[in-house]
Amino acid sequence: MTTTIAITSGKGGVGKTTIAVNLALSLALQKKETLLLDADLGMANAHILLGINPKFSLDDFVTGNMPLNKVITTLDNNLKFVSGGNAINRLLNLSDLERHKIIKSFNDLNNKPEFMLIDVGAGAETSSMTFMASADKVIVVITGEPTSFIDAYTLIKTAFLDYKMINFGIVINMASSPIHAKLNFDKFQSIAQKFLDVNLKFIGHIPNSQKVKNSIISRTALVSSKNNSPESKSFNEISSKLSLVEKNNIGTIKFFDI
Ligand SMILES: Nc1ncnc2c1ncn2[C@@H]1O[C@H](COP(=O)(O)OP(=O)(O)OP(=O)(O)O)[C@@H](O)[C@H]1O
Ligand SMILES: [Mg+2]
């Protein structure tokens, strides 16, 4: 059975793609078959971080040019990737029907992965919310900035009120220290739980680091079998805590519905 995990945020630019790509690499290194879906439609850039330029993307599938299995790029034995494409206007304006077509289609794959990570666009727009609601688990990335807090709160409030989602994993990115990361989580949790009956789980932090920045500039993801840096370890630690995030059973259509 596949566990699908949406990586989301309220505010843009907080590190969703960085985290989705490196978590996918971390799971694959642990020999867990993983599929990374870049669903930040119109703004897709996970392929840049992976240092690849896939021939086909989700756009080819949506327009009917290609079956889903043909838009999947195999990166190694355990890691597959679907690019969100760069046909900006087309994919940004997906209809409900097209979104449902994407979500439903994964069930037809012959080889279902153990994990599917979905890099979802920032904010509480319908497209992001639909992909979020269709995943088993949701991870919200926040930084210590007040704007990130406020936007993440708005995202969780919308998910809770409009989609009845209650369980969220929280990752603190660009943390100045592990202690600060935990303090930031505690602060965010006390705000969110004061007003909403939600269940937030702190599953780790990524340090604010030049190495993370450089990995994007050089188009080489950080996590690899040879890299034992603190940054790489923090991604591995988060991947080992994914099981702590509880599923949302909200009765909407799901990826890999059986
Ligand atoms: N832990 C980190 N330390 C330092 N810089 C970071 C870290 N994580 C991300 N960044 C920086 O933040 C920028 C945005 O990261 P990323 O593209 O992963 O965010 P995003 O949430 O996916 O953005 P978008 O909302 O545009 O999709 C990157 O270019 C990178 O330089
Ligand atoms: Mg992104």
Side-chain angles (χ1 to χ4, degrees):
M1 222 171 92
T2 305
T3 303
T4 52
I5 305 173
I7 320 282
T8 66
S9 71
K11 184 178 174 292
V14 297
K16 286 179 303 297
T17 303
T18 308
I19 290 170
V21 167
N22 283 289
L23 279 185
L25 287 162
S26 173
L27 289 168
L29 272 175
Q30 295 164 49
K31 306 219 176 333
K32 296 176 194 303
E33 279 188 32
T34 304
L35 175 63
L36 173 64
L37 169 65
D38 190 345
D40 191 355
L41 305 176
M43 308 278 191
N45 59 4
H47 59 284
I48 296 174
L49 241 175
L50 286 164
I52 57 167
N53 196 6
K55 225 163 141 188
F56 303 113
S57 73
L58 213 50
D59 193 47
D60 296 293
F61 169 68
V62 175
T63 51
N65 287 348
M66 293 278 165
L68 185 67
N69 61 349
K70 287 282 193 294
V71 303
I72 297 178
T73 307
T74 301
L75 299 179
D76 72 31
N77 281 345
N78 300 311
L79 183 56
K80 294 192 166 98
F81 174 64
V82 178
S83 169
N86 50 16
I88 293 170
N89 293 327
R90 251 212 58 74
L91 283 187
L92 261 182
N93 300 320
L94 275 188
S95 65
D96 281 352
L97 210 68
E98 287 173 319
R99 264 193 297 272
H100 285 193
K101 175 181 166 176
I102 294 174
I103 294 162
K104 280 297 207 195
S105 65
F106 282 86
N107 207 30
D108 299 333
L109 291 178
N110 284 334
N111 294 318
K112 297 190 176 57
E114 190 173 341
F115 287 97
M116 178 158 84
L117 299 190
I118 311 160
D119 181 6
V120 179
E125 290 83 29
T126 313
S127 191
S128 311
M129 296 308 298
T130 310
F131 286 118
M132 235 171 113
S134 305
D136 299 313
K137 301 185 179 191
V138 172
I139 291 175
V140 181
V141 179
I142 55 183
T143 68
E145 290 176 3
T147 44
S148 160
F149 263 48
I150 294 164
D151 293 351
Y153 175 78
T154 305
L155 176 80
I156 289 174
K157 187 177 167 189
T158 309
F160 174 70
L161 294 178
D162 294 355
Y163 294 82
K164 313 273 177 286
M165 285 182 244
I166 51 168
N167 299 310
F168 302 87
I170 304 288
V171 170
I172 306 286
N173 192 19
M174 306 184 202
S176 51
S177 71
I179 294 170
H180 271 104
K182 179 69 172 60
L183 284 173
N184 273 325
F185 170 75
D186 290 344
K187 207 158 96 189
F188 184 72
Q189 188 184 38
S190 69
I191 298 167
Q193 292 187 335
K194 199 161 158 188
F195 301 105
L196 307 169
D197 193 13
V198 291
N199 171 29
L200 308 184
K201 283 258 158 68
F202 181 48
I203 56 163
H205 77 281
I206 310 293
N208 189 3
S209 134
Q210 191 60 40
K211 270 191 195 145
V212 176
K213 274 199 170 71
N214 292 348
S215 74
I216 293 153
I217 295 164
S218 64
R219 294 170 149 237
T220 36
L222 253 164
V223 171
S224 77
S225 55
K226 296 182 203 90
N227 189 341
N228 217 7
S229 64
E231 291 81 359
S232 183
K233 277 188 191 151
S234 54
F235 286 112
N236 291 331
E237 213 171 296
I238 294 170
S239 73
S240 71
K241 290 193 177 154
L242 293 173
S243 57
L244 296 181
V245 183
E246 284 164 58
K247 291 187 180 185
N248 287 308
N249 295 314
I250 49 178
T252 50
I253 60 155
K254 293 273 182 197
F255 289 96
F256 301 102
D257 247 345
I258 353 163

